[in-house]
Amino acid sequence: MSKTEEQSINSWINKDEPKYVSSQSHYKDGFEDILDERRHSSDIKYCIRKRRDVPKYKYCIPREPDDIKRHVLSSDRVQYVIEKLASEKVATLDELRIQSEEILNEMAHKLSVKAVRCFAYLLIKVLKSLFSGIYVNEPGIQMLHKLIHEYPVVLMPTHRSYMDFLLVSYIFYNYDLSLPVIAAAMDFKNMKFFGWLLRSCGAFYIRRSFGSDQLYWAIFTEYVQTQLRNGDSPVEFFVEGTRSRTAKSYTPKIGMLSAAIESYFKAELPDLMIVPISISYDRILEEKLYAYELLGIPKPKESTSGLLKARSILDEDFGSVHLYVCDPISIRDMAVGKVDRVLHALEPRYINNLTDREQMVTKELAYKIVLVQQQHLVISPWSLIAAVLMQSREGISQWQLLKEVEWLKQQVYNLGGYVDWPGNAKVETVIEHYLSLHTNIISLDNTEKIELKLVRPTHIAKPVHDEVMLNAATNLILGSYRNQVLHIFIRVGLVALAVNSCADDTMTMDELFNKYSFLETVLSRDFVFMPGETNKSFEHAVLELSHTGGLVVENDIVQVKKSITKHTTFFSQMFEPFLVGYWVLCHHLLSLPVDVHGRPLPKKPKAIAIDAQKLAIRLLQENVLKHYEVLSLDLLGNGLNALVELGAMYKDKRNEEPWLSPNRVLVSDIAEKIAQYVEVPPVAVTSVLAVSKRIVLTAKL
Amino acid sequence: MASSSERLKVIRGHLWPHSSSNGDVSSRIRQENSNIVFAECKGDSPKKLTVDESPSSIPKRRQELLKWNGWGYKDSKFIINKHGQVEFTGERYKISGKMMPALRDWMLSNVGVSLEQKSPAQPELTAANIPSPTVNESFVEEVKKLGLTYSEEPHDRLFRAHGHTLHEVFILREGTFKRIPDAVIWPSCHSDCVKIVQLACNYDVVLIPYGGGTSVSSALECPPEENRMIISVDTSQMTRILWIDQQNLLAHCECGIIGQDLERRLEEKGFCTGHEPDSMEFSTIGGWVATRASGMKKNIYGNIEDLVVHIKTVTPRGVVERSCQVPRLSSGPDIHHFILGSEGTLGIVTEVTLKIRPVPPCKKYGSIVFPDFKNGVACLNEVARQRVAPASIRLMDNEQFQFGHALKPEASSIFTSFMEGLKKLYITKIKGFDLHEISVATLLFEGTREEVALQEKRVYEIASKFGGIPGGEENGERGYMLTFVIAYLRDLGFDYFVVAESFETSVPWDRVLDLCRNTKDRIVRECKERGVQFTPYATCRVTQTYDAGACVYFYFGFNYRGLANPVQVYEEIETCAREEILANGGSISHHHGVGKLRKKFLQRTVSEPGVGMLRAVKHYLDPQNIFGNGNLMIE
Ligand SMILES: Cc1cc2nc3c(=O)[nH]c(=O)nc-3n(C[C@H](O)[C@H](O)[C@H](O)COP(=O)(O)OP(=O)(O)OC[C@H]3O[C@@H](n4cnc5c(N)ncnc54)[C@H](O)[C@@H]3O)c2cc1C
């Protein structure tokens, strides 16, 4: 399908079927397509037009980017750290001052509206060619107009693509909102022209890890805080820390957030408003890159020429984007009754010292932000299709797919998700449209069956021939779209897993809860659960699952047989690959040779994941493992982190890095437990547990 | 134009001559060869010498001179006259008899007042509406035997049932107190107090000392659950300056002297204490000591704790005092500091020796206009750092500046309004200030002519570094005037559904701006959340500077039309505001004290053992809780 001409907004509808084209298609369910107008009027005029009534924080004293830098260097916080380091003989005062300037020059943005206008012009062209529509919830924009005037604002979008912050800035430009400054990863900084351009559009660059570098931390903190205090611009950063390669939310990172809200805890701000933003893509630009990265095949360094090579992308169709500006979260409201700001009255405020409770609130907040983002993601029909396809490894007939997708859509609605399903289009049309967007991984050649195609990487010198890897890449791409609905099903999914794997006829609620809570802990790195609210989530999930058809509970007893339904089966299968992956990981850990103390040598987490992947490859080749996703290093890494969390790994610190080795008893115990929930490859796990049990026994004798 | 002694004249003019009901004037003797002037207690042996007695400015029947349900003198109040203009009645103040044309519009646009919507107060309560007293007959009998003035008259009792918090005045206008004093006694000297305390201990009767009644912490309210007889001990008849020591620069005074009388009578001898709280028209020495008061000229003269050299206090355990009258001593923890701020919980402060100073030859007002509040605060900080603060320096935020303007009486001549216009033109057009951003500092200089000139020069120099330009004497004087009359304005607000109150705090310099901004923001936000229909008025000024920080004073008011329980809403918001202040590194109070209003914040402020210390002192001095007004948290 050609995209060059005037295109209908409901782009899945063939032009020759005008009855499907709604007259108001650029406006649906409170979303407005901002590209619509751009397709009908001059881009130049748009870029040079006067921005009206741009809201400003009411206490803002206008500053230039250079004023901000000057302030940071002379700030009490930075001066204090410089003097402290000098007195600790880390370096001389002069050296530290020079270092500070260098750090700041590397970091600071040079936001200028002029540059933004130029960039906007370029960006519109790109956006128009990539996307058929960019939908924004208008009420959210209205809210922002007021909010920015009242309080300092932090924007926290989901992060699944480089497009994310470009889109946010573009949308802010479009709606005459003050342009955000954005904490960006260093990757871009080194790109020649682009690095500079992004800086002028408000990007500031943060090193990926600067854990114990006090000077860097001070400069960074002051740089962020001063802009919040004065409300120069909304500050934007990603709570997930980095782009999610899996299209599901990463567990949140706390560092940046705590730097930002320290200002509130120290009463330097009347309040701070966090605005989560959910960005949903029909198709993610980087899908292929991510898949190979997840498999451990290195990604190309960000470079301008790389970007130019990516130009071929411009000829492809990426469907539409939905951007939902969520209701603001007030830090004040969050912290009421939880923190006592008075505790900071006895020390100068530029000395870093958040209390434990403040750190706890920050963590809670971080999780809350992710959960709010998830709540407002728009589910693309394609995600539903992907979810069904993932469970039909042998391929599926068009007709069957249709039925399953319809069913799944209903489940999403029941569980409170929002599917971007056109109100007046036939299911066939919708599915056809989305399949056509993804012909890179979907083969429609066989008229009987819809099947997966192998994708070959374009960006690496040595092409991957290995059939397993190619299969895995395809599966990971498809999986990443299924991942976009998982947050809706995760909690009911865990209940379903517990029920479906139960060998008895009945189960008490306590048993069910224990199983649920085990699964939640094990999966807590791949999925986001509010810390400390396991009970609440469980009760909610039980309620949902029994109301929407699935779980049967009579007199507080789960009727297992009656509860094994299409619902519970489908939901549990969604999460099966993760558990199987963890099991493989455990299996690998248990197969490591042990030293004289009966302990395997410690290794870096990354190395462990890669070795576990090797085992998985073998199992796939032997055809005893079905889930290609298990090869994802992200999944294996998450499993490893969960083991750490469960206390099943010994931790060493070497060169500031953790080195891990398994506690064989606990790991084997966990592996056994996991095997209770899913079908695992018929491989014998060295049963350390059995051995240790015997030891206990002999001891008793 | 402001002349040097204008301010005192203003205050002097407040008084109507009247005769005290027990006007037996003792003989006066001046000891020729000594600088010391003696006075005698009427109840004491007649051998002691006494001089310089003048009747109390405050009659025993206070309600004859003062409003029973509002602030200040009966004859002085804001009204909306028949032309629909705001006018200030009476003759006591500079603005008395004047109309303020801009004030009505200010009220309409800033607090959402509508002239059609009135909320008049309830009519004066009759005896029938005032609870009848709980009487401890044996105690009363003994009191009468001693010949002390004693009253159970309902209005006397009602008048002493309260101070001037919003809560209290609102009750006067709209309801009744659950508990009021059962009787009033007027001691006339220290030994009267000793006898009263003794009797009270013997008969288990509660005593609440009453000075000027200007308390703004609910310190005077009777604990509603108190079953014993409650006596209000009114010190208004203990008004003598017992002696003046010119060499050591001391004046020994009775506790009931009100500020304006003290300064007037000392001035006749060429002296002053320089202690001028904004309530000085009514508040008393005893009250100052009991609340740790602060006067606006503390930069020269110090706060009350710096001014007292000796305090005599009658407690149930006996009389607490030092044996010497020395400038400083090291004798373990300072017993004065148990009494200062004791808020009537430990005993009656009967006599106080205060430092005095020769009246300065030159007093001069001044003002500085800053482009914004931030610059103003930075300037005050610098002035404090260089320790060149004049007698008083205060900084109004923009809202308060606007309000001050609204209080301007109609221009008396075309010339003044022309000059005003020119000034405005200069500030906005030439200096480029935004009238909605500017902030104004008011200044009061005192000293010799040369000293004042030098101080002025230094202050204005510093100001110019922060973009401040001199704004003239008149603006300065009006600024100070405002603080005297603003208390009257609240009563007008009440008539139109507006409740208003002030509160204050002290805060380190680095947090002043944040505290001001955050507290105002919190107020506005809490109002919104509680369904207040009109934007509240919240404004602040920095009223005192110290090396380590400043005192900040807030006014807050809102229109409560549409709210069923305005006082409760107000109190919730005030609590939030105080929490915000504490969170911003501010204090529970700089000078208003704790009373009952801020009790809930005391322990957090002074720690649990800290409260324990206070309690231990209380339990030792007053095991029966005779001084059972329930202030602080030490009963
Ligand atoms: C309009 C206005 C302006 C004000 N401005 C200031 C200001 O600038 N600075 C400032 O510091 N305060 C100010 N205040 C607060 C108030 O004036 C002070 O707290 C003052 O010190 C109270 O004195 P008083 O004589 O009126 O005492 P009261 O109000 O009668 O009593 C206050 C407390 O002291 C106790 N007390 C009174 N006399 C004695 C005594 N002789 N012995 C023992 N206990 C006693 C009472 O029991 C009560 O607990 C202001 C109040 C108002 C209404």
Side-chain angles (χ1 to χ4, degrees):
Chain A
M1 184 164 101
S2 138
K3 287 183 70 277
T4 41
E5 270 115 76
E6 274 292 292
Q7 191 177 17
S8 151
I9 297 315
N10 294 334
S11 49
W12 52 81
I13 295 164
N14 295 331
K15 272 276 184 60
D16 49 9
E17 285 188 45
K19 61 182 170 168
Y20 292 134
V21 184
S22 131
S23 58
Q24 285 237 311
S25 53
H26 69 280
Y27 201 87
K28 54 170 191 191
D29 269 6
F31 284 102
E32 183 186 39
D33 177 13
I34 59 166
L35 286 186
D36 187 61
E37 202 199 325
R38 297 276 44 78
R39 296 194 203 278
H40 299 115
S41 60
S42 151
D43 288 342
I44 294 233
K45 266 198 208 142
Y46 169 76
C47 291
I48 57 175
R49 80 190 204 287
K50 191 164 160 45
R51 286 157 51 81
R52 273 173 223 287
D53 302 326
V54 179
K56 255 268 161 264
Y57 179 41
K58 59 188 172 190
Y59 302 117
C60 176
I61 295 167
R63 295 193 287 186
E64 293 299 317
D66 279 340
D67 299 330
I68 297 175
K69 279 163 75 175
R70 265 193 297 279
H71 164 86
V72 171
L73 288 177
S74 63
S75 68
D76 289 337
R77 183 185 292 270
V78 172
Q79 290 302 320
Y80 170 75
V81 170
I82 286 182
E83 270 158 42
K84 184 163 162 257
L85 293 177
S87 73
E88 289 164 7
K89 303 265 182 288
V90 174
T92 67
L93 278 178
D94 282 340
E95 285 164 353
L96 288 163
R97 284 202 190 103
I98 291 169
Q99 258 182 48
S100 312
E101 263 180 66
E102 284 167 359
I103 291 174
L104 197 57
N105 285 336
E106 175 191 271
M107 185 182 301
H109 68 76
K110 292 202 174 77
L111 183 61
S112 104
V113 178
K114 259 191 225 135
V116 169
R117 287 181 193 280
C118 298
F119 191 46
Y121 184 74
L122 216 103
L123 198 59
I124 297 166
K125 304 281 179 212
V126 175
L127 293 177
K128 281 200 286 196
S129 100
L130 287 174
F131 301 115
S132 53
I134 297 176
Y135 292 90
V136 179
N137 67 325
E138 257 248 85
I141 298 293
Q142 301 297 340
M143 177 278 291
L144 276 175
H145 264 278
K146 292 203 194 91
L147 190 71
I148 289 175
H149 178 70
E150 291 301 319
Y151 292 106
V153 168
V154 174
L155 305 169
M156 300 197 113
T158 50
H159 202 13
R160 293 171 183 188
S161 167
Y162 280 145
M163 285 316 289
D164 294 328
F165 63 83
L166 299 180
L167 276 173
V168 172
S169 290
Y170 176 73
I171 283 161
F172 272 53
Y173 176 79
N174 183 70
Y175 284 107
D176 292 351
L177 288 164
S178 28
L179 295 166
V181 295
I182 310 122
M186 277 297 173
D187 321 350
F188 291 113
K189 194 202 105 204
N190 303 321
M191 291 160 67
K192 264 179 218 138
F193 165 73
F194 213 59
W196 167 85
L197 185 62
L198 290 184
R199 233 187 242 284
S200 313
C201 294
F204 62 95
Y205 295 106
I206 306 296
R207 292 181 194 162
R208 216 170 265 294
S209 59
F210 46 92
S212 55
D213 186 340
Q214 292 181 53
L215 185 60
Y216 194 89
W217 184 254
I219 290 172
F220 157 72
T221 307
E222 186 63 32
Y223 188 66
V224 170
Q225 289 187 359
T226 181
Q227 297 188 71
L228 288 172
R229 283 197 300 262
N230 191 44
D232 298 286
S233 326
V235 173
E236 174 180 336
F237 61 90
F238 301 100
V239 71
E240 296 163 275
T242 176
R243 285 174 305 153
S244 163
R245 281 24 176 201
T246 56
K248 58 186 175 48
S249 309
Y250 280 173
T251 47
K253 301 277 176 299
I254 317 293
M256 187 87 151
L257 189 62
S258 67
I261 69 178
E262 182 193 17
S263 272
Y264 172 75
F265 293 143
K266 303 258 176 100
E268 293 169 329
L269 302 172
D271 197 352
L272 184 65
M273 292 294 182
I274 307 271
V275 179
I277 298 177
S278 312
I279 309 177
S280 325
Y281 297 91
D282 278 349
R283 191 179 157 202
I284 291 173
L285 260 72
E286 299 99 321
E287 53 178 16
K288 208 151 72 177
L289 292 176
Y290 288 162
Y292 281 98
E293 204 185 317
L294 289 173
L295 291 170
I297 299 166
K299 65 166 180 171
K301 268 231 152 10
E302 264 75 33
S303 70
T304 313
S305 62
L307 203 81
L308 292 179
K309 275 189 209 129
R311 274 196 56 176
S312 61
I313 275 185
L314 290 185
D315 303 329
E316 292 180 47
D317 182 356
F318 288 87
S320 47
V321 186
H322 286 80
L323 186 142
Y324 188 94
V325 178
C326 308
D327 285 346
I329 302 172
S330 141
I331 305 286
R332 171 189 292 291
D333 293 348
M334 259 307 279
V336 161
K338 293 185 185 153
V339 302
D340 183 4
R341 289 179 292 160
V342 176
L343 296 175
H344 295 295
L346 296 181
E347 231 177 25
R349 293 182 289 179
Y350 51 79
I351 299 176
N352 248 344
N353 62 345
L354 288 190
T355 64
D356 292 347
R357 293 186 119 203
E358 284 163 349
Q359 270 155 3
M360 213 182 65
V361 169
T362 311
K363 185 171 164 193
E364 259 169 47
L365 175 66
Y367 276 83
K368 180 165 175 176
I369 292 165
V370 175
L371 293 174
V372 169
Q373 287 173 344
Q374 288 184 340
Q375 230 171 28
H376 295 283
L377 284 168
V378 171
I379 310 288
S380 165
W382 168 242
S383 290
L384 305 179
I385 300 171
V388 173
L389 291 176
M390 284 300 283
Q391 294 196 22
S392 334
R393 269 179 301 273
E394 315 301 321
I396 185 169
S397 73
Q398 176 94 272
W399 176 81
Q400 185 75 19
L401 177 65
L402 206 133
K403 239 181 61 182
E404 295 289 319
V405 168
E406 274 275 87
W407 176 82
L408 192 56
K409 181 180 77 178
Q410 196 50 48
Q411 304 316 311
V412 172
Y413 282 141
N414 287 347
L415 295 171
Y418 176 83
V419 181
D420 176 36
W421 196 277
N424 51 0
K426 281 196 279 183
V427 196
E428 299 90 302
T429 330
V430 176
I431 292 190
E432 243 169 61
H433 166 75
Y434 282 100
L435 289 175
S436 74
L437 279 183
H438 296 273
T439 45
N440 59 330
I441 51 168
I442 297 295
S443 154
L444 302 170
D445 303 342
N446 184 339
T447 46
E448 296 285 288
K449 265 190 179 173
I450 296 157
E451 289 170 328
L452 288 186
K453 262 200 307 214
L454 302 187
V455 275
R456 294 176 191 280
T458 41
H459 65 278
I460 32 184
K462 243 196 297 151
V464 177
H465 288 301
D466 189 338
E467 199 74 359
V468 173
M469 279 301 191
L470 290 183
N471 249 318
T474 311
N475 269 282
L476 284 177
I477 295 178
L478 188 63
S480 75
Y481 292 102
R482 178 224 37 212
N483 284 351
Q484 297 183 27
V485 284
L486 289 188
H487 63 272
I488 296 192
F489 293 105
I490 177 70
R491 289 163 195 84
V492 291
L494 299 192
V495 175
L497 270 166
V499 171
N500 275 27
S501 60
C502 181
D504 303 326
D505 290 344
T506 59
M507 188 178 3
T508 65
M509 285 309 260
D510 281 347
E511 262 177 90
L512 183 58
F513 174 73
N514 287 340
K515 293 183 172 197
Y516 174 91
S517 106
F518 168 74
L519 289 170
E520 194 187 282
T521 322
V522 170
L523 285 158
S524 65
R525 291 304 172 125
D526 258 308
F527 298 93
V528 179
F529 302 97
M530 193 69 184
E533 291 194 0
T534 309
N535 254 311
K536 213 166 121 192
S537 324
F538 170 72
E539 274 160 27
H540 196 70
V542 166
L543 216 64
E544 279 181 327
L545 200 55
S546 34
H547 284 192
T548 57
L551 191 63
V552 181
V553 182
E554 288 164 7
N555 302 325
D556 257 8
I557 304 283
V558 181
Q559 302 299 315
V560 175
K561 274 230 186 69
K562 289 189 204 163
S563 296
I564 300 180
T565 61
K566 161 148 196 186
H567 293 78
T568 48
T569 313
F570 194 96
F571 299 161
S572 33
Q573 276 175 10
M574 280 181 151
F575 300 98
E576 218 179 78
F578 297 92
L579 293 173
V580 172
Y582 301 164
W583 184 89
V584 171
L585 171 71
C586 291
H587 188 53
H588 160 69
L589 289 170
L590 293 172
S591 66
L592 290 174
V594 294
D595 65 6
V596 283
H597 306 294
R599 239 198 238 182
L601 286 175
K603 286 194 205 168
K604 284 203 218 175
K606 200 126 193 203
I608 297 180
I610 289 172
D611 290 345
Q613 189 192 43
K614 284 184 193 139
L615 172 61
I617 292 174
R618 211 187 74 214
L619 295 175
L620 281 161
Q621 281 165 340
E622 289 169 6
N623 235 340
V624 287
L625 188 66
K626 298 171 295 183
H627 303 290
Y628 282 95
E629 286 174 81
V630 168
L631 297 191
S632 158
L633 293 176
D634 181 72
L635 188 154
L636 294 166
N638 285 334
L640 194 55
N641 280 329
L643 290 179
V644 171
E645 200 115 298
L646 284 162
M649 301 296 289
Y650 299 108
K651 258 168 118 175
D652 268 0
K653 252 222 148 80
R654 301 188 181 180
N655 293 338
E656 296 280 304
E657 273 180 300
W659 287 54
L660 304 173
S661 82
N663 174 331
R664 290 164 51 85
V665 176
L666 291 180
V667 170
S668 115
D669 183 35
I670 291 168
E672 251 175 52
K673 270 194 179 159
I674 290 176
Q676 291 169 9
Y677 296 95
V678 288
E679 202 182 312
V680 295
V683 192
V685 177
T686 345
S687 187
V688 182
L689 204 65
V691 175
S692 68
K693 261 183 198 150
R694 208 166 301 135
I695 291 168
V696 175
L697 268 177
T698 28
K700 264 190 190 161
L701 287 171
Chain B
M1 202 197 75
S3 83
S4 56
S5 54
E6 191 78 297
R7 190 177 136 88
L8 273 173
K9 278 200 215 115
V10 168
I11 294 163
R12 201 176 304 147
H14 301 167
L15 292 167
W16 290 107
H18 66 276
S19 54
S20 164
S21 40
N22 66 336
D24 54 328
V25 180
S26 312
S27 58
R28 305 158 138 238
I29 293 175
R30 172 127 198 154
Q31 290 199 334
E32 280 306 316
N33 295 328
S34 155
N35 295 327
I36 300 175
V37 188
F38 279 100
E40 172 224 36
C41 173
K42 289 174 295 291
D44 275 352
S45 89
K47 269 183 238 152
K48 278 220 180 143
L49 304 173
T50 171
V51 234
D52 190 6
E53 172 134 346
S54 67
S56 170
S57 315
I58 303 292
K60 285 182 180 167
R61 290 186 62 82
R62 288 172 188 254
Q63 56 273 32
E64 284 166 4
L65 179 68
L66 306 173
K67 290 196 194 76
W68 76 278
N69 69 349
W71 178 252
Y73 299 103
K74 273 178 152 174
D75 53 36
S76 301
K77 65 175 175 221
F78 284 98
I79 56 161
I80 300 214
N81 67 19
K82 53 185 182 290
H83 310 295
Q85 295 274 17
V86 182
E87 184 183 323
F88 194 72
T89 64
E91 298 170 3
R92 292 171 186 275
Y93 300 90
K94 263 199 148 178
I95 61 163
S96 297
K98 297 236 166 74
M99 290 200 285
M100 284 130 273
L103 188 55
R104 187 195 55 188
D105 292 341
W106 182 90
M107 285 169 61
L108 298 188
S109 60
N110 281 277
V111 276
V113 158
S114 149
L115 293 186
E116 286 73 51
Q117 309 267 3
K118 285 198 73 168
S119 49
Q122 64 183 346
E124 182 147 8
L125 292 179
T126 58
N129 298 320
I130 298 172
S132 49
T134 307
V135 178
N136 184 322
E137 299 291 354
S138 351
F139 172 79
V140 174
E141 221 169 275
E142 295 274 353
V143 167
K144 287 190 175 154
K145 265 192 222 152
L146 288 175
L148 295 169
T149 322
Y150 171 91
S151 165
E152 282 175 21
E153 203 275 317
H155 288 106
D156 286 342
R157 291 160 47 224
L158 179 63
F159 200 99
R160 288 159 186 83
H162 64 87
H164 281 273
T165 64
L166 170 62
H167 172 88
E168 292 161 308
V169 178
F170 202 83
I171 289 183
L172 289 171
R173 292 176 59 97
E174 303 286 346
T176 48
F177 288 100
K178 282 215 186 73
R179 188 79 170 85
I180 68 171
D182 300 307
V184 184
I185 299 181
W186 288 263
S188 54
C189 62
H190 169 75
S191 62
D192 281 356
C193 294
V194 174
K195 289 170 198 155
I196 293 169
V197 172
Q198 227 150 38
L199 285 182
C201 290
N202 293 347
Y203 295 98
D204 202 17
V205 163
V206 173
L207 301 179
I208 299 184
Y210 184 95
T214 63
S215 156
V216 278
S217 60
S218 291
L220 291 168
E221 269 189 284
C222 299
E225 66 283 357
E226 183 56 75
N227 294 321
R228 297 174 290 177
M229 183 179 191
I230 301 178
I231 302 291
S232 177
V233 183
D234 185 326
T235 61
S236 64
Q237 307 311 307
M238 294 177 62
T239 57
R240 287 170 305 169
I241 297 177
L242 295 163
W243 46 255
I244 293 172
D245 178 340
Q246 301 194 10
Q247 178 156 20
N248 295 310
L249 288 172
L250 299 172
H252 187 67
C253 316
E254 286 185 318
C255 63
I257 294 194
I258 57 174
Q260 55 169 324
D261 286 356
L262 178 66
E263 290 308 84
R264 179 172 46 78
R265 280 156 63 186
L266 287 175
E267 199 193 4
E268 284 162 11
K269 304 261 183 295
F271 293 103
C272 67
T273 64
H275 184 67
E276 294 187 11
D278 290 350
S279 57
M280 72 181 290
E281 290 172 276
F282 306 104
S283 57
T284 64
I285 296 183
W288 299 338
V289 169
T291 58
R292 287 181 71 88
S294 168
M296 72 173 215
K297 298 198 295 194
K298 75 94 196 153
N299 290 339
I300 294 182
Y301 301 97
N303 289 315
I304 193 69
E305 68 273 19
D306 310 311
L307 279 164
V308 293
V309 170
H310 189 268
I311 305 172
K312 198 189 268 185
T313 311
V314 182
T315 76
R317 274 280 170 191
V319 177
V320 178
E321 63 179 323
R322 287 179 183 163
S323 65
C324 51
Q325 201 137 256
V326 291
R328 183 172 193 278
L329 86 169
S330 175
S331 57
D334 189 341
I335 55 159
H336 282 175
H337 280 280
F338 289 107
I339 304 300
L340 285 156
S342 58
E343 303 189 355
T345 59
L346 300 179
I348 307 173
V349 173
T350 54
E351 289 172 15
V352 178
T353 310
L354 290 169
K355 294 184 200 166
I356 54 172
R357 300 290 308 164
V359 173
C362 177
K363 288 188 192 179
K364 195 169 173 192
Y365 288 102
S367 67
I368 307 168
V369 184
F370 292 99
D372 58 23
F373 190 61
K374 190 177 173 189
N375 277 279
V377 170
C379 173
L380 262 63
N381 191 356
E382 187 58 30
V383 165
R385 197 194 322 265
Q386 298 192 21
R387 291 206 173 155
V388 291
S392 168
I393 176 165
R394 288 177 171 178
L395 180 75
M396 298 187 270
D397 70 359
N398 185 266
E399 289 87 351
Q400 209 161 116
F401 156 76
Q402 306 261 359
F403 171 64
H405 252 253
L407 268 184
K408 226 178 224 184
E410 58 201 323
S412 35
S413 72
I414 302 175
F415 182 70
T416 15
S417 62
F418 172 72
M419 287 299 287
E420 284 296 320
L422 272 189
K423 234 186 271 166
K424 193 158 154 183
L425 207 67
Y426 174 71
I427 288 178
T428 56
K429 287 283 168 322
I430 308 209
K431 298 302 277 188
F433 287 7
D434 178 351
L435 281 185
H436 294 282
E437 286 293 328
I438 63 172
S439 115
V440 174
T442 58
L443 310 163
L444 175 63
F445 299 95
E446 278 194 13
T448 63
R449 211 159 282 283
E450 300 74 43
E451 279 165 355
V452 166
L454 192 69
Q455 282 176 34
E456 280 185 301
K457 185 165 165 286
R458 293 186 69 179
V459 170
Y460 290 125
E461 259 170 25
I462 294 173
S464 72
K465 290 202 192 97
F466 296 91
I469 49 177
E473 284 187 50
E474 196 206 315
N475 273 323
E477 192 187 2
R478 196 175 32 243
Y480 288 101
M481 176 64 137
L482 187 147
T483 62
F484 276 90
V485 297
I486 201 164
Y488 283 101
L489 198 62
R490 180 166 82 178
D491 293 332
L492 180 66
F494 272 133
D495 286 341
Y496 291 91
F497 289 97
V498 174
V499 287
E501 182 69 295
S502 61
F503 49 89
E504 43 69 42
T505 190
S506 48
V507 57
W509 279 116
D510 68 312
R511 292 170 179 263
V512 170
L513 278 175
D514 289 341
L515 180 136
C516 294
R517 181 204 336 100
N518 294 351
T519 306
K520 286 194 264 183
D521 184 89
R522 180 81 183 264
I523 289 172
V524 172
R525 184 158 162 174
E526 296 293 342
C527 281
K528 246 187 238 160
E529 278 171 18
R530 284 174 174 72
V532 174
Q533 318 254 328
F534 304 86
T535 315
Y537 181 68
T539 164
C540 67
R541 62 169 185 258
V542 178
T543 60
Q544 290 291 5
T545 64
Y546 297 86
D547 287 2
C551 167
V552 179
Y553 197 96
F554 290 90
Y555 289 115
F556 158 47
F558 63 86
N559 188 313
Y560 67 85
R561 261 182 293 153
L563 287 186
N565 46 355
V567 174
Q568 191 197 334
V569 168
Y570 170 79
E571 282 172 357
E572 283 169 21
I573 297 170
E574 190 184 323
T575 298
C576 293
R578 181 62 58 184
E579 271 164 8
E580 190 63 33
I581 285 173
L582 298 180
N584 279 268
S587 64
I588 185 171
S589 168
H590 169 267
H591 58 266
H592 282 172
V594 176
K596 289 180 267 292
L597 194 58
R598 283 172 281 272
K599 251 169 133 168
K600 53 180 172 284
F601 302 107
L602 183 62
Q603 180 158 326
R604 259 166 97 195
T605 301
V606 302
S607 78
E608 205 188 317
V611 173
M613 286 163 72
L614 302 180
R615 271 202 192 115
V617 170
K618 164 79 178 173
H619 288 163
Y620 175 75
L621 287 179
D622 183 16
Q624 280 171 273
N625 197 22
I626 297 302
F627 290 91
N629 56 14
N631 292 336
L632 303 163
M633 50 190 299
I634 58 180
E635 64 276 1

